[in-house]
Amino acid sequence: MWNALKKHHATVADRKFIELVDADRANDFSVIASDMRLDYAKTNIDKTGRDLLIDLLETAGVTAKRDAMFAGEAINETEGRAVLHTALRNLDGDAVMVNGKDVMPDVLRTLANMSAFAEDVRSGAFTGQGGKITDVVNIGIGGSDLGPAMAVNALAPYHNEPRCHFVSNVDPADIAGVLRTCDPATTLVIVASKTFTTIETMTNARTAQAWMAEVVTDTGAQFAALSTAEDKTAAFGIAPERVFGFEDWVGGRYSLWGPIGLSLMIAIGADAFKSFLRGAQAMDVHFKSADWSENLPALLAVVGIWHNQICGYATRAVLPYDNNLNRLPAYLQQLEMESNGKGVSMDGADLTVNSGPVVWGEPGTNGQHAFYQLIHQGTRVVPCEFLVAARGHEDDLHHQHQLLVANCLAQSEALMTGRTLDEARAKVAVKFDGDELERQAKHRVFPGNRPSVTIAYPQMTPFVLGQLIALYEHRVFVEGVVLGINSYDQWGVELGKELATALQPVVEGTAGTDNKDGSTAALVDFLQKHGV
């Protein structure tokens, strides 16, 4: 099937796909689910290519793997675990079995406990030593930070009190910058670490504990934990009723839907958080039931496969035209690159095609004045994914939102159409002539024929954010199955962590550099001389 796709690509690679885009194609190459529209008309995928890509899904066994995931089978084969973040948003409570046990009663019980605690914090029923909680500091890293930090920003219009802050980096500047804005007597600290051993998280947690102890007599009373290590959370002084655990079938970068989302729930309230879960659940239902030709996650996945594995485009730009989605590219960067950044297939063989792309991006219109130059005129093709809402939340500034939308649509149009040399000459002919006209015109040529997709929705609400994240989760799943890899382990993060642990005494000066390479030893020496 890969060969058939590459052969088809060779026959269409040089055509101008603007010639494909008419009213019929705009409808045929778009799909809508729950008022979310995916438009992939501005790509070089035609009906033949789409048919081949959908055949690839069937050949790879995506249907069976999808059903196995939702059924609680251990599709994370290298760790022997089920993959059931979808159960965390299964609000209707339909049975989900893992090793013969229905996990839904515990899931719904944890959600109810979270909701009660979040509402107590919001209402003032739960207080700090100094009174009602004014600030919440979430300490985590990776999925325990990127998910809630992204979502709290994305749903800023739904916030009231308290303020939410996020600390992840072990760099002391991160936690110092947050804590200096808070009052320890009215701050709740949430420590997000399943094992309660993550070195960056626990280092920052102890720093926060020492900061709070300068004012608060019982620091544990103003801490909550998102962890399964109840012995360690108890030793830290956190009461069991403020410890919210989750099972090993929830991976870190897929954990926002459960206890890791506690800071989001406190920010927007339990009802809005459940609407967020409902949006994801709606996308789950769509993913399970829609034909591949009308299936948003599947189509987004095959577009990505076409661009990366078939066309050879190594990167993917995520460009949300919503300033509150400023952390979404980083969130999706982890989701995609930690999940599908693998070089070995399930059976241990080396991959014969490229694995996942490099994912990056910034909100529009900021990116237009930064890196869009390379996207439009650079020598590398960067497929783009635009996200845009029909309306914002600032009704009195609707005219600015219309300008934002115009910019978004203009960028995807410009990437597709480009500007020819003749058009560039005509644009500057009033200023230049002769050889200078030719030189100046060439600088204003846009190659065009650069692909993009657009995801449009009515407004960024909790429901829509849930839809959007679940859409990308399932897209990553489909891509991983097609590539034959395990999207749910992350062994690539381990080696650096192991070496860092070994290097700490070297940096501190309690161990020598004899067993280190010359470069590392010289860097240690330099940094020690300058204050480490």
Side-chain angles (χ1 to χ4, degrees):
M1 191 57 67
W2 290 111
N3 289 336
L5 277 162
K6 289 177 180 178
K7 182 177 179 181
H8 177 65
H9 173 254
T11 67
V12 302
D14 295 330
R15 72 180 169 197
K16 295 291 184 181
F17 53 81
I18 187 175
E19 299 169 3
L20 303 174
V21 182
D22 56 18
D24 289 338
R25 179 174 170 86
N27 290 324
D28 290 344
F29 286 76
S30 294
V31 63
I32 298 174
S34 299
D35 289 333
M36 178 172 284
R37 180 184 180 107
L38 168 66
D39 181 311
Y40 61 107
K42 295 185 180 76
T43 69
N44 201 16
I45 299 172
D46 55 18
K47 290 182 179 180
T48 300
R50 183 172 61 189
D51 289 344
L52 288 169
L53 288 163
I54 290 173
D55 286 346
L56 182 64
L57 302 187
E58 296 296 348
T59 302
V62 175
T63 300
K65 201 81 165 185
R66 175 197 63 191
D67 295 344
M69 177 178 71
F70 280 100
E73 296 180 25
I75 67 166
N76 178 352
E77 296 179 16
T78 58
E79 297 178 303
R81 297 174 181 173
V83 175
L84 277 178
H85 47 280
T86 54
L88 299 179
R89 59 227 193 189
N90 177 26
L91 293 185
D92 298 323
D94 298 338
V96 178
M97 309 302 291
V98 177
N99 297 324
K101 178 187 176 183
D102 182 5
V103 303
M104 287 312 304
D106 286 342
V107 167
L108 296 178
R109 188 179 304 112
T110 299
L111 178 61
N113 292 340
M114 287 172 57
S115 300
F117 179 65
E119 290 305 319
D120 282 349
V121 173
R122 287 167 57 82
S123 68
F126 175 89
T127 65
Q129 183 170 299
K132 186 176 181 180
I133 296 296
T134 58
D135 294 270
V136 175
V137 177
N138 185 94
I139 298 176
I141 198 165
S144 298
D145 168 77
L146 281 167
M150 176 276 295
V152 166
N153 276 3
L155 298 178
Y158 296 87
H159 294 193
N160 40 46
E161 295 180 352
R163 300 184 301 164
C164 287
H165 314 269
F166 295 89
V167 173
S168 57
N169 203 321
V170 76
D171 183 339
D174 192 11
I175 192 163
V178 168
L179 295 184
R180 72 169 57 103
T181 69
C182 301
D183 178 353
T186 57
T187 296
L188 170 68
V189 178
I190 300 173
V191 183
S193 172
K194 184 184 290 187
T195 62
F196 226 63
T197 59
T198 310
I199 188 167
E200 299 93 338
T201 298
M202 297 315 301
T203 299
N204 280 324
R206 285 187 285 271
T207 296
Q209 188 180 48
W211 164 80
M212 190 175 286
E214 295 178 2
V215 174
V216 174
T217 54
D218 180 7
T219 58
Q222 288 178 218
F223 272 70
L226 315 179
S227 176
T228 56
E230 294 182 2
D231 56 336
K232 293 182 175 64
T233 59
F236 201 87
I238 305 174
E241 63 269 19
R242 294 194 306 281
V243 178
F244 306 93
F246 49 102
E247 300 295 334
D248 65 4
W249 35 257
V250 178
R253 57 194 174 276
Y254 297 90
S255 59
L256 175 59
W257 315 103
I260 293 299
L262 180 61
S263 55
L264 174 63
M265 183 184 279
I266 293 172
I268 66 176
D271 288 344
F273 187 84
K274 288 173 185 173
S275 179
F276 169 67
L277 298 183
R278 284 287 184 195
Q281 184 182 28
M283 188 58 69
D284 292 343
V285 171
H286 170 77
F287 179 51
K288 287 192 292 184
S289 61
D291 291 340
W292 292 137
S293 61
E294 298 291 327
N295 194 299
L296 266 73
L299 291 171
L300 192 59
V302 298
V303 170
I305 290 165
W306 173 262
H307 288 151
N308 184 14
Q309 281 77 24
I310 305 303
C311 300
Y313 305 145
T315 79
R316 175 188 298 156
V318 178
L319 308 169
Y321 275 68
D322 182 335
N323 200 60
N324 289 334
L325 289 176
N326 61 341
R327 295 293 289 158
L328 183 67
Y331 175 80
L332 296 180
Q333 186 178 74
Q334 185 201 21
L335 182 67
E336 178 84 42
M337 295 174 69
E338 193 165 85
S339 296
N340 289 347
K342 312 289 171 61
V344 176
S345 63
M346 284 284 203
D347 62 5
D350 291 342
L351 290 186
T352 57
V353 295
N354 290 327
S355 59
V358 175
V359 178
W360 57 285
E362 280 286 327
T365 55
N366 293 3
Q368 293 175 202
H369 294 267
F371 52 78
Y372 278 41
Q373 169 63 47
L374 182 146
I375 290 175
H376 282 290
Q377 290 187 310
T379 57
R380 297 178 178 88
V381 174
V382 179
C384 294
E385 296 182 359
F386 296 95
L387 296 91
V388 65
R391 61 184 185 276
H393 290 274
E394 296 75 23
D395 291 341
D396 57 335
L397 296 174
H398 184 61
H399 64 286
Q400 285 194 215
H401 187 79
Q402 290 174 320
L403 178 59
L404 180 76
V405 171
N407 270 273
C408 178
L409 300 182
Q411 291 299 325
S412 64
E413 183 182 13
L415 285 168
M416 177 178 64
T417 60
R419 178 187 288 156
T420 66
L421 182 58
D422 285 343
E423 290 169 335
R425 288 192 192 102
K427 196 164 185 68
V428 297
V430 295
K431 293 183 179 180
F432 308 102
D433 57 20
D435 291 344
E436 184 62 12
L437 170 60
E438 195 70 7
R439 186 178 76 87
Q440 291 285 348
K442 286 182 178 180
H443 286 282
R444 291 160 173 80
V445 170
F446 289 70
N449 227 36
R450 302 201 165 188
S452 68
V453 301
T454 300
I455 300 170
Y457 39 87
Q459 188 178 43
M460 181 47 62
T461 64
F463 185 92
V464 168
L465 183 64
Q467 281 182 287
L468 186 65
I469 298 172
L471 166 65
Y472 275 96
E473 286 179 346
H474 293 318
R475 183 251 197 103
V476 166
F477 164 81
V478 172
E479 290 177 335
V481 174
V482 169
L483 293 172
I485 61 179
N486 183 4
S487 299
Y488 299 102
D489 61 15
Q490 55 280 331
W491 302 111
V493 306
E494 296 299 322
L495 180 59
K497 289 163 63 175
E498 293 171 10
L499 293 178
T501 300
L503 265 168
Q504 188 171 354
V506 177
V507 172
E508 292 170 345
T510 59
T513 60
D514 293 345
N515 64 340
K516 294 298 173 186
D517 65 89
S519 170
T520 301
L523 287 167
V524 168
D525 181 64
F526 175 86
L527 292 168
Q528 286 176 334
K529 286 178 180 177
H530 289 81
V532 166

